[in-house]
Amino acid sequence: MDAKLSMAHFFVAFSALALGGLMGLLQTLVRSGKWELPWGIDYYQILTVHGVLMGLVLTTFFIMGFQYAAVSRTTGGHSNAARRTGWVGFWVMLVGTLMAATMVLLKEASVLYTFYAPLKAHWIFYLGLTFVVVGSWVDGSAQIMTYARWRKNNPGKPSPLLSFMAVINTVLWIVATLGVAATVLFQLLPWSLGLVDTVDVLVSRTLFWYFGHPLVYFWLLPAYMCWYAIIPKVIGGKIFSDSLARLSFILFLLFSIPVGFHHQLTEPGIDPAWKFLQVILTFMVIIPSLMTAFSLFATFERYGRSKGATGLFGWFKVLPWNDARFTVPFIGMASFIPAGAGGIINASNQMDQVVHNTIWVTGHFHLTAATSVVLTFFGISYWLVPHLTGRKLTKAMNKLGIIQAWVWFIGMVFMSGAMHIQGLLGGPRRSAFSTYGGSKQAAEWIPYQIAQAVGGTILFLGIILVIIIFVNLAFFAPKGEQEFPVAEAENSEEQAPMVFENWKLWLGITAALILFAYTIPFIDIIQNAPLGSKGFQTWGKW
């Protein structure tokens, strides 16, 4: 019963991957200057389709499906009430997705991935996004219900690690999406319906980025769940420290939300002191990332030593490189090293001035979300899909999975690398091909845009391969039992402190940090607001 709901999420997620990936390929081809879109299709239309499908639909549906399965696996299964709740959430999300997608395809919502005001979409687009958010709350509440039932039946015991992590991520998502729900319900929907003539752009953007940065961690934490609690089992090792894993997730909950101003460092109307404060809080998120890196490589080294590896990096050689369940997420894991370094640059006030709103940011985004996160999701699907469908990961699909990961990595080296370099040369993001009137500087960007098209083509080949693998594992692989690997802590006597399960404490600190970081600057923004802006449909129907 639980498997059907998880697979329903995955079917939507991989459908979004196929269509959104095609739109990404078309974007890179247009930006190369060597190809034009046919049939009156507009560049900013496909940009919106790509961003919404890949950044919101693929990720949200996959994460909810994975977390639903993880909670079921580690708590003994969901109740009938939780299953019904999960299905309600799924259908509400799906209806919202179809509503928003329809408006984009009709050229009524070419507002880019960030749907920034004063770009204006049809009200059905905003209502659809509201359904996606509300549906995800309902979907996530099913996981919380099962976790709460386990806690009630096992008083005084720490919850299973994967379930704890899933609930932390769901709570982070619910708290973060309050911002985007507020701007859509109270600003963008009335504005698009014609109930009000203007919108306060700075309020809208501030509420969006209250949501926009923790969104990245909503994507990332399920990958961390795999790295912490599943990869050790896959390689035959154990979790370095259960308590360290829980603490890192709590720190992500505390410090990933009150940091949105570092996306608005060049935005007028926000006091620099509050920007500085949120930059400091942004750098606090580096701490759990470094804790994770330490824990993972400690796990790898201890496993290697147990296999007789010697020397500083001898353990590296004995890892199971021929197992797609390990290799694919490991490539994503390694990619997070340069991706994280780029994030530090973006969040630094002085260095952000160099790269802000350049295609460097897009390159960084594709290293984090489209490499570290998505490759880990692919690695998860290679064992979770056959586990849910009662099939086996065959040697052929395992080998194809490893090939797919390296194809993806090579494509991203070309595309993301070229984006980073072009960004340092001043190339803008969110823009179609242009010579800017024969500008000498713009001419310097074109070779990098061609390199992006090469990388995008290779990446689309990777998407074709992963869709082939997904369809095979869902429908055609031989029947059998595929393990859902869940690792144990190295010190079996270690019991995580129960303070980690004190939700009143952690939610209270989270709320206090958010109120401290946003209350006064938000009051200033509203009190000193300029006249609102009318809506623009720059790339909509003519």
Side-chain angles (χ1 to χ4, degrees), residues 52-340:
V52 171
L53 286 182
M54 301 295 266
L56 293 178
V57 179
L58 163 64
T59 53
T60 305
F61 276 89
F62 187 94
I63 289 167
M64 288 300 170
F66 169 53
Q67 290 187 172
Y68 190 83
V71 172
S72 176
R73 166 69 172 79
T74 53
T75 61
H78 295 281
S79 65
N80 289 331
R83 291 190 188 103
R84 285 193 296 270
T85 303
W87 277 111
V88 170
F90 168 79
W91 285 111
V92 172
M93 286 168 61
L94 183 58
V95 168
T97 299
L98 295 174
M99 289 168 64
T102 300
M103 289 301 103
V104 176
L105 293 174
L106 292 176
K107 283 193 177 182
E108 294 282 1
S110 295
V111 291
L112 316 187
Y113 157 63
T114 45
F115 45 89
Y116 252 18
L119 293 178
K120 188 176 183 181
H122 195 282
W123 64 267
I124 293 177
F125 173 80
Y126 295 122
L127 186 61
L129 290 178
T130 303
F131 280 11
V132 171
V133 171
V134 173
S136 70
W137 292 348
V138 177
D139 213 340
S141 66
Q143 301 160 33
I144 295 174
M145 289 167 62
T146 301
Y147 165 83
R149 186 189 67 177
W150 191 96
R151 288 286 312 280
K152 183 178 179 180
N153 294 335
N154 296 271
K157 294 182 181 179
S159 59
L161 180 59
L162 272 176
S163 291
F164 176 82
M165 290 172 158
V167 171
I168 284 278
N169 198 37
T170 299
V171 170
L172 182 152
W173 173 250
I174 292 171
V175 175
T177 47
L178 293 175
V180 76
T183 186
V184 169
L185 285 174
F186 299 117
Q187 287 188 288
L188 303 182
L189 258 178
W191 180 53
S192 60
L193 283 165
L195 302 178
V196 296
D197 293 329
T198 62
V199 65
D200 187 320
V201 171
L202 183 55
V203 168
S204 176
R205 291 182 181 182
T206 301
L207 287 171
F208 177 84
W209 283 118
Y210 166 90
F211 151 81
H213 193 76
L215 170 65
V216 175
Y217 292 98
F218 171 67
W219 300 332
L220 188 61
L221 290 190
Y224 276 38
M225 290 167 62
C226 173
W227 300 349
Y228 266 120
I230 291 169
I231 292 296
K233 177 69 171 180
V234 169
I235 67 174
K238 293 190 175 183
I239 301 169
F240 175 72
S241 170
D242 180 283
S243 297
L244 184 147
R246 293 174 194 263
L247 178 59
S248 71
F249 268 61
I250 288 172
L251 292 177
F252 277 119
L253 173 64
L254 298 183
F255 294 114
S256 66
I257 299 174
V259 298
F261 284 168
H262 82 252
H263 287 268
Q264 297 174 273
L265 290 176
T266 63
E267 192 98 53
I270 303 172
D271 190 286
W274 290 104
K275 293 179 181 178
F276 177 70
L277 171 71
Q278 294 205 16
V279 164
I280 293 173
L281 292 174
T282 303
F283 276 72
M284 294 295 290
V285 182
I286 299 171
I287 295 172
S289 293
L290 292 177
M291 290 167 58
T292 301
F294 172 80
S295 176
L296 294 172
F297 284 96
T299 296
F300 296 153
E301 181 167 5
R302 284 171 178 263
Y303 165 76
R305 301 296 182 201
S306 72
K307 296 296 182 182
T310 58
L312 189 60
F313 295 109
W315 54 271
F316 189 80
K317 299 177 183 177
V318 300
L319 293 172
W321 298 108
N322 60 346
D323 189 338
R325 300 175 303 159
F326 166 75
T327 302
V328 179
F330 184 89
I331 296 172
M333 195 187 304
S335 300
F336 196 64
I337 298 171

Side-chain angles (χ1 to χ4, degrees), residues 452-474:
Q452 290 161 34
V454 172
T457 304
I458 298 171
L459 283 166
F460 189 68
L461 175 60
I463 288 176
I464 294 172
L465 293 178
V466 81
I467 295 297
I468 290 171
I469 297 169
F470 173 76
V471 170
N472 179 274
L473 295 178

Side-chain angles (χ1 to χ4, degrees), residues 477-489:
K479 292 287 185 177
E481 290 188 9
Q482 184 68 43
E483 178 191 23
F484 189 131
V486 179
E488 299 176 352

Side-chain angles (χ1 to χ4, degrees), residues 374-392:
V374 168
L375 273 183
T376 302
F377 287 1
F378 292 164
I380 291 169
S381 69
Y382 294 159
W383 54 261
L384 183 52
V385 170
H387 172 80
L388 296 173
T389 56
R391 300 180 185 275
K392 290 281 290 181

Side-chain angles (χ1 to χ4, degrees), residues 379-417:
I380 291 169
S381 69
Y382 294 159
W383 54 261
L384 183 52
V385 170
H387 172 80
L388 296 173
T389 56
R391 300 180 185 275
K392 290 281 290 181
L393 173 63
T394 62
K395 289 183 178 179
M397 289 299 107
N398 179 76
K399 186 174 182 180
L400 190 60
I402 295 173
I403 293 171
Q404 185 276 334
W406 284 112
V407 167
W408 192 274
F409 177 77
I410 293 167
M412 197 59 73
V413 167
F414 275 96
M415 192 179 81
S416 177

Side-chain angles (χ1 to χ4, degrees), residues 17-60:
L17 173 69
L19 181 56
L22 175 61
M23 296 301 105
L25 170 65
L26 296 181
Q27 274 184 261
T28 60
L29 294 177
V30 170
R31 284 178 56 86
S32 72
K34 306 296 183 183
W35 189 76
E36 293 184 3
L37 289 165
W39 310 313
I41 299 172
D42 183 75
Y43 174 81
Y44 295 98
Q45 183 184 14
I46 64 170
L47 190 160
T48 306
V49 174
H50 175 71
V52 171
L53 286 182
M54 301 295 266
L56 293 178
V57 179
L58 163 64
T59 53
T60 305

